Amino acid sequence: MLVRSRIGRNGLVYETFCLRCWVRSYVSNSVIKRSLARSPPKSERSTAQLPRPRSFLREYFSANGSLGDERSSGEATGPKTRPIWGASGVKQIEDSTARPPARDRRMQRMEALSTKGASQNHHTSDLLDRRKKLGPQAIPILGFEHSIPLDASSQLSTISATLPSTSLKRLLTTCLSLSKPRLSALMVVATAATYTLYPVPAVLLLSTTVAPSLSYLTLGFLTAGTALCSASANALNMLLEPQHDAKMSRTRNRPLVRGLITKRGALTFAISVGALGVGGLWFGVNPTVAFLGGFTIFLYAGVYTPLKRISVINTWVGAVVGSIPPLMGWAAAAGQYAAGSGEWQELLLGAENIGGWLLAGLLFAWQFPHFNALSWSIREEYKSAGYRMLCWTNTKMNGRVALRYSLLFFPICFGLTWYGVTDQGFLVTSSAINMWMVKAAWKFWRQSGHRGSARGLFYASVWHLPVVMGLAMVHKKGLWEGMWRSVFGEEDGGQDVWETEAEEEAEDLAVGQASPALPLAIGVTQ
């Protein structure tokens, strides 16, 4: 394809060109633009233009009016100066006439950032080399520790802070944050699981009566009351130590620390939900369970919380608090089948209630490996906040206690099978889970929490408790036999027994009716 002659872009006259050559010549003579470049080429840096003068100075938008006053107070004959603030917070005076161009300032910042990044990379490589040389001791020295995530209360506080201050949603979110929802949910699950594990007497089984074995209404009152009592105890715990929560990374975002709610509001919430919880347990379950719920609030807020700054025994007191909800569930179920007046001795004491104490012991022993592994990772924060914990007062004992109470899971699970709470299959399945827990606790003790052993024990404890409680519910004594009878009905042997007993009763009745005539027949014969 040919085109007519025309004057080219470079001033030359093209006689007769094909279209392809003409386009190639046009492109080769065009100037390549650098639209994405952050700085001009080296050949053009000397001719770079100065930036345009700004209509408004930075001081115009500053909230500090003294900056503009000091700038205008300079002498008229001298060079124009303006105050700036150095990195150390010291006021300096900068000469505007000696200010470098904008592109040069950008180049200086880029060079400073590159130098800083290189120094950081060099520092990181040095730390890694030192970590290889020091081995497991490098974790506490160089700071290579896994960070514990924020608790649910801190996360809810972050959400609440983004909501309007007068909205109802913000108030409800803040109150939920005060209740420590994850801890309260754990207490509710432990209470409900123990309630369902109570061995129902054989007289009240579904195979012999149409009455339900356990009351769903009682279960509803039990779970709601336990949740409210736990929320009250947790709110009082936050109310008593906001100044100490501010010193720890996991708790410094809680609602009272951030000022999302006043202390009077938190106290009102704690008293209200505590009264509702204890009252619901009293009228909906029984007085024994209501007393245990109120005792939980007092022990957690009145004893455990102040004891945290006095002695390491606070860990054992906290474990006692965590073991009360299983007793509440057991007493609630036992109250429905009490043959006497339903006093606390009948609901909690005696050989028939040993299963409830074993489940409480399971919760008591579980809290030591869980908390000891959790606290070890933030032991320096506990120390700076003034909390007396084994994780920093006695590191060796911290690991021994975690291992010691992990070994208690085996006799506790055996006792549940021995006393008829679960079947024999639970002894096999729970042993496998307990071995996993003991293995993690052994590593935690041997390695003193280093090399990820604390993190391994923490996550093992998180999974251990729900799995063991779930296995206990699956292996409840008589559960599968009852399901078999409800699906396939009674066996033929049982029907024959009933028929044989009916025939024997009919024969005895016939003999009894014929016995008065025997003396008369004897007399006639004589």
Side-chain angles (χ1 to χ4, degrees):
M1 177 179 178
L2 301 179
V3 296
R4 294 181 180 179
S5 61
R6 56 178 298 180
I7 299 176
R9 183 181 180 89
N10 54 2
L12 300 177
V13 178
Y14 300 134
E15 295 293 335
T16 304
F17 271 95
C18 68
L19 182 60
R20 182 179 302 176
C21 296
W22 183 80
V23 171
R24 186 178 304 172
S25 174
Y26 181 84
V27 173
S28 62
N29 293 324
S30 61
V31 179
I32 300 176
K33 298 180 179 180
R34 299 182 52 171
S35 58
L36 300 179
R38 295 178 59 90
S39 60
K42 294 182 179 180
S43 60
E44 301 179 7
R45 288 183 185 177
S46 60
T47 59
Q49 297 180 357
L50 294 176
R52 295 180 180 179
R54 294 177 296 178
S55 301
F56 296 98
L57 295 178
R58 186 177 301 174
E59 293 79 5
Y60 181 83
F61 300 96
S62 176
N64 190 355
S66 61
L67 296 179
D69 297 338
E70 293 180 4
R71 182 180 185 275
S72 60
S73 62
E75 297 181 0
T77 58
K80 295 182 178 180
T81 59
R82 64 184 185 91
I84 60 173
W85 294 90
S88 60
V90 180
K91 191 180 297 184
Q92 303 172 357
I93 303 297
E94 181 190 34
D95 188 359
S96 61
T97 59
R99 188 178 184 183
R103 293 181 178 178
D104 293 345
R105 294 199 306 272
R106 286 197 299 268
M107 290 298 298
Q108 293 175 1
R109 287 196 297 268
M110 291 175 63
E111 292 176 358
L113 291 175
S114 61
T115 305
K116 181 180 179 181
S119 62
Q120 289 180 350
N121 293 334
H122 180 67
H123 179 65
T124 304
S125 61
D126 291 342
L127 289 178
L128 293 175
D129 294 338
R130 292 178 60 191
R131 182 182 182 182
K132 293 179 181 179
K133 294 179 181 179
L134 294 175
Q137 302 298 328
I139 295 179
I141 296 176
L142 302 181
F144 289 94
E145 299 180 6
H146 71 282
S147 59
I148 298 297
L150 295 176
D151 56 1
S153 298
S154 299
Q155 296 176 3
L156 288 172
S157 297
T158 303
I159 298 175
S160 178
T162 60
L163 300 174
S165 58
T166 58
S167 64
L168 179 62
K169 187 176 181 180
R170 173 168 179 165
L171 178 61
L172 296 178
T173 306
T174 304
C175 292
L176 184 61
S177 176
L178 285 173
S179 64
K180 296 183 182 179
R182 290 179 183 173
L183 182 58
S184 299
L186 177 63
M187 297 296 100
V188 170
V189 169
T191 305
T194 310
Y195 178 82
T196 58
L197 283 173
Y198 183 83
V200 180
V203 179
L204 298 179
L205 289 175
L206 289 175
S207 58
T208 59
T209 180
V210 295
S213 59
L214 291 173
S215 172
Y216 293 103
L217 182 61
T218 303
L219 179 61
F221 275 103
L222 176 65
T223 54
T226 303
L228 292 174
C229 290
S230 179
S232 176
N234 293 325
L236 290 174
N237 172 262
M238 291 188 188
L239 182 64
L240 294 176
E241 50 185 15
Q243 68 277 12
H244 305 301
D245 287 342
K247 302 175 184 179
M248 301 184 63
S249 59
R250 290 186 67 251
T251 57
R252 66 181 54 165
N253 201 35
R254 286 179 175 177
L256 282 170
V257 179
R258 298 191 60 175
L260 299 178
I261 189 173
T262 61
K263 290 187 176 182
R264 180 179 297 179
L267 181 61
T268 303
F269 170 76
I271 295 176
S272 301
V273 296
L276 287 175
V278 175
L281 293 175
W282 182 282
F283 293 103
V285 188
N286 57 61
T288 302
V289 179
F291 171 78
L292 290 175
F295 183 67
T296 302
I297 299 175
F298 165 75
L299 195 62
Y300 188 76
V303 179
Y304 167 73
T305 300
L307 197 60
K308 289 164 62 177
R309 304 182 60 82
I310 299 175
S311 173
V312 295
I313 304 177
N314 69 84
T315 306
W316 279 262
V317 177
V320 172
V321 176
S323 63
I324 294 178
L327 291 177
M328 296 172 62
W330 189 273
Q336 301 183 51
Y337 313 118
S341 59
E343 298 293 334
W344 67 271
Q345 296 90 340
E346 184 180 1
L347 303 183
L348 295 177
L349 302 181
E352 65 277 4
N353 297 318
I354 294 180
W357 290 97
L358 287 173
L359 292 171
L362 180 67
L363 266 293
F364 178 82
W366 173 83
Q367 294 178 76
F368 289 95
H370 176 75
F371 179 76
N372 289 12
L374 172 65
S375 61
W376 187 90
S377 301
I378 52 177
R379 58 193 181 279
E380 295 299 331
E381 296 187 6
Y382 274 115
K383 184 177 181 179
S384 61
Y387 292 126
R388 304 286 299 178
M389 301 296 175
L390 283 175
C391 56
W392 68 271
T393 58
N394 194 335
T395 307
K396 293 294 183 181
M397 186 178 179
N398 187 58
R400 289 197 304 268
V401 169
L403 178 60
R404 186 183 306 157
Y405 284 95
S406 297
L407 292 172
L408 283 181
F409 294 141
F410 290 99
I412 291 175
C413 294
F414 175 78
L416 291 174
T417 303
W418 179 265
Y419 286 97
V421 179
T422 59
D423 56 24
Q424 297 179 356
F426 175 71
L427 187 60
V428 179
T429 55
S430 63
S431 297
I433 304 300
N434 294 334
M435 283 294 297
W436 175 45
M437 187 73 169
V438 170
K439 181 181 178 181
W442 173 267
K443 290 183 178 179
F444 179 72
W445 171 63
R446 291 290 295 177
Q447 300 175 1
S448 299
H450 303 291
R451 295 183 179 178
S453 58
R455 178 175 53 188
L457 179 59
F458 172 74
Y459 286 109
S461 64
V462 169
W463 284 101
H464 176 268
L465 183 63
V467 170
V468 171
M469 297 296 288
L471 289 175
M473 296 174 65
V474 170
H475 291 283
K476 181 181 178 181
K477 185 72 173 181
L479 175 64
W480 297 105
E481 291 82 355
M483 293 180 61
W484 179 273
R485 287 194 300 267
S486 63
V487 174
F488 298 100
E490 296 288 343
E491 298 180 358
D492 295 338
Q495 185 176 359
D496 295 339
V497 171
W498 283 105
E499 292 178 355
T500 304
E501 292 180 355
E503 293 176 356
E504 291 178 356
E505 291 178 357
E507 292 177 357
D508 295 340
L509 181 62
V511 171
Q513 292 176 356
S515 58
L518 290 178
L520 179 61
I522 294 174
V524 171
T525 304
Q526 293 177 350

